[in-house]
Amino acid sequence: MRKSLIQIAAAIALTLGAILALASGANASSVMVMKAYARASATATADTGAAYVSLMVHGGPDRLLAVSTPAAKMAALHRTVEDNGVMKMEHVDAIDVPASGMLEMKPGGYHIMLMGLTAPLKEGGEIDLTLTFEKAGEVKVKAKVGGVAAGTN
Ligand SMILES: [Cu+2]
């Protein structure tokens, strides 16, 4: 009897500790991925590709710092911008997501640039992406490979 009371007390102490730990990380965040897809390669010799994720940050704010994938030698965060009527891509160091906010990557906007594809991306396939956030840490995502123009139709 006495022993079980001590065990209960210990369990309560552990629970309180966990609650305090959560409360102290007031700006912690977790990420919920809603959509993830990549575009199929248009040719068998394609060396680059693009992937897109849509996600929600619970808590936060947070920042997406990096992406990696076994499907390519390198993955980078890019944004398509219009410069004097010409669409071009630029590298971004990080993407800020506001507290309880959303990040929606799409063709013509933010995207994940895949450079040095290990194999052409085939429609119907799937690639693994690891997103690294400043607060939420690593988030693993599976992206479905859609058509060559996936995301615009
Ligand atoms: Cu790009």
Side-chain angles (χ1 to χ4, degrees):
M1 183 67 186
R2 197 183 181 93
K3 195 172 184 183
S4 65
L5 275 176
I6 290 167
Q7 282 169 343
I8 290 166
I12 290 170
L14 279 175
T15 307
L16 282 175
I19 290 168
L20 287 173
L22 276 176
S24 66
N27 60 0
S29 97
S30 67
V31 169
M32 190 176 89
V33 175
M34 294 172 298
K35 197 159 108 182
Y37 62 97
R39 282 182 160 179
S41 301
T43 67
T45 53
D47 189 48
T48 60
Y52 309 86
V53 293
S54 292
L55 55 89
M56 251 183 102
V57 163
H58 295 294
D62 208 336
R63 302 183 86 198
L64 175 57
L65 302 174
V67 183
S68 65
T69 175
K73 287 194 190 88
M74 213 182 123
L77 297 171
H78 274 193
R79 180 170 53 188
T80 301
V81 289
E82 199 189 312
D83 182 26
N84 280 327
V86 180
M87 301 300 273
K88 59 179 197 180
M89 297 192 294
E90 62 181 26
H91 174 87
V92 291
D93 290 330
I95 303 173
D96 287 294
V97 189
S100 300
M102 277 183 56
L103 166 62
E104 190 186 2
M105 294 188 185
K106 56 184 176 215
Y110 284 117
H111 56 276
I112 296 163
M113 198 78 208
L114 306 170
M115 289 167 281
L117 290 175
T118 49
L121 301 177
K122 282 196 185 129
E123 185 168 358
E126 204 174 55
I127 61 171
D128 290 305
L129 300 173
T130 301
L131 314 176
T132 304
F133 289 84
E134 190 174 82
K135 290 169 189 157
E138 286 193 351
V139 177
K140 293 190 186 295
V141 185
K142 286 194 184 298
K144 287 242 153 64
V145 181
V148 293
T152 52
N153 42 24

